[in-house]
Amino acid sequence: MKTKILTTSKEDIETAARIIKKGGLVAFPTETVYGLGANAFDADAVARVYEAKGRPSDNPMIVHIARASDIGQLTRYLNPDIVALIENFWPGPLTMVVKKRPEVPDRTTGGLDTVAVRIPQSDAALELINMAGCPIAAPSANLSGSPSPTRAKDVIADLDGRVDAIIQGEDCRVGIESTVVDMTSKVPTILRPGIITAENIEAALGKKVEYDSSLTEASKHIELDPSEGVSESDFKPKSPGMKYKHYAPKADMLVVEGQRDRVIAEIERLKGLNERLGNKVGVILFEEQAFIEAAHDFFAKLRDLDNEGVDMILAGALSDVDGVGFAVMNRMLKSAGYNIARV
Ligand code: TXA
Ligand code: MG
């Protein structure tokens, strides 16, 4: 398939919108990561998204809308908490899981009776959704398993020839995917951490939220047995996307966790050791407490190191138990397949 490489000009977005209307696939920028979009109500188009990504088809997608009133096309049920989060965080990097209307195809929701929805905060994305005239289902625009794309060139590397069009926009401002919160349970439950934190959501709702047990289990396993590592099959997450091997670079990856001085020393030691064995080693070490920057750079760094052809990536863990750093750690540990050294 010949992929059209488009700009964010009005004419190009019109072209992209026509492709979506006809059941085609368009990759587009959002503020979090690039998405690969199709008409959320066109089950065949959605099936082609799975195909292009090489993704297992029980994994549900996030449906993107352009204005809050369009949520009525997807769900009938808006409780006051949902309304409060819409008012506080949309457009923005917060996805809510709500009860779905029967009209939303099973293909889009992976057979679940819920649907994940958000309004992205990027002009190109909003114009595309508006011009297409339908909600757009879009997972991240990477091949399944590889790091999420935060730059147009990353999307082109993965999807050129596999999709109808790619809109080349700016680098994504946030750099990690949206926070996913399940609004169908009694207590709102965070299924995927992101730049909008539990604390932010609690402040907006005036009540406590929970983390899905798979998120807290992961850190518990690390506490208990750092040397063994944790296999993803140990978890039974509610958010089906979490059970697949995710974000993995081609290189082997190890996360070094502990007190900062020791982490730096251990990374230096392991780097030297591996280089003497003839391995090319890449290092990911963010400034202390620079969590927003870490979120912005993490996936891009993984891809850059892969492009440099490193054999091994050594990453310093961020010390943050529930904020933005925690959201980055969620991705970092998955990328490393929970391969962790504690110092
Ligand atoms: O920032 C983002 O969210 C990006 C941009 C493109 O919007 N999209 C994204 O999509 O990250 P994806 O498909 O890579 O991740 C969607 C996550 C998965 O973990 C999936 O399991 C979860 O949302 N999800 C989707 N629908 C769900 C549902 N009905 N119930 C529970 N989890 C759901
Ligand atoms: Mg993804």
Side-chain angles (χ1 to χ4, degrees):
M1 174 191 296
K2 175 100 178 86
T3 300
K4 282 197 174 78
I5 306 293
L6 302 173
T7 69
T8 54
S9 72
K10 189 156 184 287
E11 305 80 74
D12 275 11
I13 303 241
E14 261 163 11
T15 304
R18 269 198 302 275
I19 292 171
I20 296 277
K21 278 186 189 163
K22 280 196 264 173
L25 309 188
V26 176
F28 62 96
T30 83
E31 81 282 25
T32 56
V33 302
Y34 275 72
L36 176 60
N39 178 351
F41 285 108
D42 182 339
D44 294 335
V46 169
R48 283 193 286 276
V49 172
Y50 289 120
E51 245 169 67
K53 278 184 63 97
R55 161 186 269 201
S57 66
D58 65 334
N59 199 355
M61 288 183 195
I62 293 174
V63 177
H64 299 71
I65 55 178
R67 58 184 95 72
S69 56
D70 287 345
I71 198 175
Q73 296 178 41
L74 305 168
T75 186
R76 302 195 172 102
Y77 184 66
L78 292 186
N79 66 34
D81 287 346
I82 297 173
V83 176
L85 294 188
I86 290 177
E87 282 171 353
N88 276 275
F89 299 113
W90 282 3
L94 180 77
T95 296
M96 280 190 265
V97 172
V98 297
K99 280 254 164 276
K100 86 170 184 77
R101 275 186 181 269
E103 294 83 357
V104 182
D106 279 344
R107 276 271 181 210
T108 303
T109 62
L112 298 172
D113 60 359
T114 54
V115 59
V117 54
R118 81 178 189 104
I119 303 185
Q121 194 181 48
S122 117
D123 291 340
L126 294 172
E127 279 168 30
L128 177 66
I129 301 163
N130 271 326
M131 286 186 193
C134 60
I136 294 185
S140 49
N142 52 289
L143 288 174
S144 188
S146 67
S148 295
T150 58
R151 304 168 298 193
K153 66 174 179 182
D154 302 335
V155 181
I156 292 171
D158 276 19
L159 297 181
D160 194 13
R162 303 177 69 95
V163 302
D164 297 289
I166 295 171
I167 299 176
Q168 267 188 306
E170 305 206 318
D171 292 357
C172 300
R173 174 175 61 80
V174 174
I176 55 173
E177 309 87 341
S178 60
T179 305
V180 178
V181 57
D182 181 358
M183 301 304 289
T184 65
S185 48
K186 199 146 183 241
V187 182
T189 304
I190 294 181
L191 304 180
R192 181 174 70 183
I195 201 152
I196 293 178
T197 63
E199 201 183 336
N200 298 149
I201 297 171
E202 285 172 351
L205 296 180
K207 66 178 185 192
K208 285 276 167 203
V209 302
E210 284 175 355
Y211 284 114
D212 184 56
S213 61
S214 64
L215 297 172
T216 42
E217 284 301 303
S219 46
K220 250 188 256 154
H221 279 271
I222 295 157
E223 290 294 322
L224 288 176
D225 200 350
S227 60
E228 292 279 311
V230 193
S231 91
E232 291 205 47
S233 60
D234 291 350
F235 309 129
K236 292 204 173 52
K238 250 189 233 155
S239 183
M242 287 163 47
K243 75 180 181 228
Y244 302 106
K245 192 169 154 65
H246 248 76
Y247 313 129
K250 293 183 198 97
D252 280 339
M253 182 167 165
L254 176 72
V255 176
V256 182
E257 195 183 55
Q259 202 228 319
R260 181 138 177 118
D261 302 352
R262 293 206 201 155
V263 166
I264 294 172
E266 181 66 357
I267 286 180
E268 274 312 304
R269 193 182 73 85
L270 291 174
K271 183 168 186 280
L273 216 96
N274 279 280
E275 284 174 346
R276 281 195 292 284
L277 294 173
N279 286 331
K280 197 166 169 187
V281 180
V283 171
I284 299 182
L285 192 59
F286 296 108
E287 293 294 317
E288 215 168 357
Q289 306 292 319
F291 302 138
I292 299 275
E293 197 183 323
H296 181 268
D297 291 352
F298 179 65
F299 285 132
K301 283 214 154 109
L302 283 186
R303 282 182 177 263
D304 287 346
L305 290 173
D306 264 348
N307 292 338
E308 286 168 28
V310 304
D311 302 296
M312 184 175 197
I313 297 174
L314 299 168
L318 303 171
S319 49
D320 187 22
V321 288
D322 56 9
V324 175
F326 171 70
V328 179
M329 283 312 295
N330 168 269
R331 277 67 174 187
M332 193 187 280
L333 291 172
K334 285 183 187 185
S335 315
Y338 295 92
N339 189 18
I340 302 152
R342 218 178 199 190
V343 292

